[in-house]
Amino acid sequence: MTNKVIDSMMSHRSIRSYTDEPVDEKQLDCIIRAVQAAPNWVNLQLVSVVAIKDAERRKLFSGLCGDQPHIAEAPVFLVFCADYHRVALACRKKGQTLEEAMHDIDMVIVGAHEVGIALEAATVAAESLGLGTVPIGDVRKNAKEVIRELQLPEYVFPMLGLCIGHPANDPGLKPRMQKEAVYFEERYNADLSSELDTYDEAYSKYLLERPWNNRVGNWTDLAADFYLHPFHYRGVAEALEQQGFLSTKKVRTL
C-alpha cells in the first residue's frame, strides 16, 4: 500500500549536482514549517536551522565540510543545530541554570536524534516540492570554525547540513539492504551473514553499472574500509565542550 508521500520517500536520491535556479522563498518557508511540525521530545523543540544562501559563504562552507562542491552549487545550504539555548533562557527566567544537566551525555544523544528527525522532515518536504537534497555530516569536520561562522551561542551545536536545490541530473536509486537485515520482531537477529552476502551482490552490481563512481567492491568492503582507522573528526569533543556540552566548566552568563 502506497500514497503520494510514501512514493516520494521511496524515490529518495542524494542529489550532488544542481541547476542555477533558485529555491523559491515560499518553498523554503514550507520546508522550515515542516521541520517545526516534526515530532520532538517533550515539546522542547531542540533544533534550530541556519540557512546559508550567499554564494561566497556557501563556498566557505564547502571548504569547511571537506571540499564538497555541491554545497557551493546548491542555492540553499541548511545547517541543523542541536539547540538548548532557548531552554537555558527558560531556566534563567526561573533562576536556574542548565550547567549540571549539560554534563549528561543524554543531552547530546537527544539533541542528535532531534536533529535527525528534523532533517528527515526537511528532506521529505523538499522532495515533495520537486527539489533535490543531500545530507552533509561533515559540518562536524571543522566544528569550531562552523560555530564561529554561524555565531552559535552556548548550548548550540552544528550536527548536520542539508543541500537543497533543483536537481541537474538523476543519479538513480541506490539499493538498500533487504528488510530482513534491518527489521526484527521481538528480538534482534545477530546472524546476518546471508543478508549481507545478498546485499553485497546487489551493491556490487550497482557500482559496476556506474562507471563514473570511483568506489569498487561491495557494501561490506565499503563499511570495513570506512572504519579501517579510528574514524572520528578531530576536535568534535573539544567543540562540544566549548559549547557547554559534557563540560564541567562554569556556565557563561547568558
Side-chain angles (χ1 to χ4, degrees):
M1 183 174 67
T2 63
N3 56 40
K4 289 183 179 180
V5 175
I6 294 175
D7 287 344
S8 177
M9 294 175 71
M10 297 291 284
S11 299
H12 167 73
R13 295 157 168 78
S14 289
I15 301 299
R16 293 180 173 85
S17 182
Y18 299 90
T19 71
D20 294 332
E21 184 179 356
V23 173
D24 184 84
E25 284 299 315
K26 290 182 179 179
Q27 291 180 317
L28 184 57
D29 180 69
C30 286
I31 293 167
I32 299 305
R33 288 180 181 274
V35 168
Q36 289 189 274
N40 69 92
W41 194 49
V42 198
N43 198 35
L44 292 175
Q45 303 174 67
L46 299 172
V47 175
S48 288
V49 184
V50 182
I52 309 299
K53 301 179 182 179
D54 179 80
E56 289 303 313
R57 281 178 58 76
R58 295 200 317 269
K59 289 180 183 177
L60 172 65
F61 276 84
S62 174
L64 290 177
C65 295
D67 297 320
Q68 300 192 60
H70 35 281
I71 296 176
E73 192 174 297
V76 177
F77 180 56
L78 301 181
V79 181
F80 288 75
C81 303
D83 187 347
Y84 288 90
H85 177 66
R86 291 182 293 267
V87 176
L89 294 177
C91 290
R92 180 184 178 187
K93 290 186 69 173
K94 295 195 68 176
Q96 304 166 206
T97 76
L98 270 181
E99 183 178 9
E100 183 177 355
M102 295 303 292
H103 297 172
D104 196 321
I105 194 171
D106 196 55
M107 301 294 272
V108 178
I109 293 172
V110 171
H113 75 56
E114 295 285 281
V115 165
I117 292 170
L119 184 135
E120 174 65 4
T123 300
V124 172
E127 293 178 354
S128 75
L129 297 171
L131 299 168
T133 67
V134 62
I136 305 294
D138 282 347
V139 294
R140 302 185 306 279
K141 193 176 186 71
N142 292 289
K144 288 185 177 180
E145 289 83 353
V146 170
I147 289 166
R148 184 178 64 248
E149 285 296 327
L150 299 181
Q151 299 181 11
L152 301 181
E154 191 168 41
Y155 303 148
V156 183
F157 191 82
M159 290 282 185
L160 287 170
L162 185 69
C163 295
I164 300 179
H166 294 270
N169 57 36
D170 183 352
L173 285 173
K174 185 177 293 183
R176 298 299 202 224
M177 291 183 185
Q178 58 273 40
K179 179 181 173 182
E180 291 76 14
V182 299
Y183 173 75
F184 316 103
E185 294 188 358
E186 309 304 338
R187 293 174 180 81
Y188 190 97
N189 176 23
D191 183 9
L192 298 173
S193 297
S194 62
E195 285 79 6
L196 292 183
D197 287 344
T198 299
Y199 185 55
D200 271 347
E201 184 177 349
Y203 197 73
S204 177
K205 182 182 179 187
Y206 165 81
L207 293 177
L208 290 172
E209 290 173 349
R210 284 153 178 77
W212 63 87
N213 195 324
N214 61 3
R215 295 176 180 172
V216 295
N218 53 42
W219 183 86
T220 53
D221 288 341
L222 168 69
D225 289 347
F226 192 71
Y227 290 105
L228 180 62
H229 303 289
F231 184 83
H232 63 277
Y233 297 137
R234 293 179 180 177
V236 171
E238 292 86 350
L240 279 166
E241 184 170 357
Q242 171 189 299
Q243 295 304 103
F245 293 76
L246 305 178
S247 172
T248 57
K249 68 181 180 178
K250 294 293 184 181
V251 65
R252 295 195 297 267
T253 300
L254 295 172

